Amino acid sequence: MNSYRYYSLPSKTTKTRWRCCSHSGQGCSAFIVTMDDEVITMCPKHNHPPTAGNRGKRMLRINGYTYYASTIGPKIRWRCSTHAYCGCNAAVQTYRDEIVVIKDNHTHPPRN
């Protein structure tokens, strides 16, 4: 989200807490809390610059799947990174960097 990477913490409820991937290495305190795939709480205060995908482009990671931005602007459509070679039609839509729609119908397992 916003070119930052997060990982999910184990949860026994419908709420999922996500920590910035730089939490352990750099002590970043940014986090997101989702419930049923919707953001309900967010602390976007990072202590480091954003990360980018392999080619320097914005990337989104949700539940182990990666997405690339196929449009730009306040409303962004993110397509599964395997869309071009696997034909996966999973997608995410954000508006002003908040997730508004998730179509999580992947045709493949997440990458390691």
Side-chain angles (χ1 to χ4, degrees):
M1 180 172 279
N2 300 333
S3 298
Y4 289 95
R5 296 173 65 185
Y6 294 82
Y7 64 92
S8 63
L9 298 171
S11 175
K12 294 181 181 178
T13 67
T14 57
K15 283 187 182 179
T16 303
R17 184 175 172 94
W18 302 80
R19 275 200 175 142
C20 177
C21 286
S22 295
H23 173 76
S24 297
Q26 298 181 29
C28 184
S29 60
F31 68 89
I32 298 171
V33 178
T34 59
M35 184 177 349
D36 297 325
D37 295 328
E38 290 194 32
V39 176
I40 58 171
T41 306
M42 184 175 184
C43 176
K45 296 180 181 173
H46 294 272
N47 64 355
H48 57 92
T51 56
N54 293 343
R55 296 185 179 120
K57 296 183 179 180
R58 289 183 74 180
M59 212 168 117
L60 180 68
R61 180 183 297 265
I62 300 174
N63 298 330
Y65 293 97
T66 56
Y67 300 81
Y68 68 92
S70 62
T71 60
I72 56 172
K75 182 179 175 181
I76 300 174
R77 181 162 194 251
W78 302 82
R79 298 193 85 165
C80 179
S81 297
T82 66
H83 175 75
Y85 63 91
C86 285
C88 182
N89 288 320
V92 175
Q93 191 175 69
T94 60
Y95 182 73
R96 298 192 188 274
D97 295 324
E98 289 193 30
I99 296 172
V100 293
V101 176
I102 296 178
K103 292 183 181 176
D104 201 18
N105 54 341
H106 293 274
T107 58
H108 56 92
R111 292 184 182 183
N112 293 334

